Amino acid sequence: MPEVTIRLGTETYQMEVPMGANLLLEAVSRSIPLPFHCTTGKCGTCQMRVIKGQENLSDYSEQELYRIDGEAISSGYRFACQTYVYGDVTIEAVP
Ligand code: FES
């Protein structure tokens, strides 16, 4: 199963998730306090930066492409609620 590492402030969390799992839902179900609000890609509250393993995530959703500017996309920014996991990945929550 894919392993997800989440850096959140001074804390680091690790979780194994089923192939194709939604990153935000898996984190929240384990009480990892990733910030979120809408869960539909509209508010940007769940923005995060992918440190490692971008190739193991689903493609950018239409909502992400509409709301995250090109420079931020190049830097690895994603919305956790729009991201599905297919391999090991390390992410950093954006306050
Ligand atoms: S929770 Fe609103 S964009 Fe992800």
Side-chain angles (χ1 to χ4, degrees):
M1 293 210 300
E3 184 167 303
V4 177
T5 302
I6 299 173
R7 298 181 190 163
L8 181 59
T10 58
E11 302 291 327
T12 299
Y13 302 88
Q14 288 191 305
M15 61 181 182
E16 284 192 348
V17 303
M19 190 67 75
N22 179 272
L23 201 158
L24 178 64
L25 292 180
E26 292 294 326
V28 169
S29 72
R30 291 166 172 80
S31 300
I32 297 171
L34 275 184
F36 71 97
H37 183 67
C38 71
T39 73
T40 56
K42 293 183 178 151
C43 72
T45 308
C46 67
Q47 186 164 252
M48 62 178 192
R49 189 165 70 90
V50 180
I51 307 294
K52 195 167 65 176
Q54 179 77 269
E55 70 278 11
N56 293 328
L57 297 174
S58 55
D59 291 340
Y60 280 81
S61 71
E62 285 186 24
Q63 296 285 5
E64 288 177 293
L65 293 173
Y66 181 71
R67 292 188 163 76
I68 304 173
D69 71 40
E71 193 172 316
I73 285 178
S74 300
S75 300
Y77 285 85
R78 306 275 326 239
F79 291 166
C81 71
Q82 300 292 293
T83 303
Y84 296 85
V85 182
Y86 295 96
D88 295 349
V89 64
T90 300
I91 66 120
E92 177 179 63
V94 177

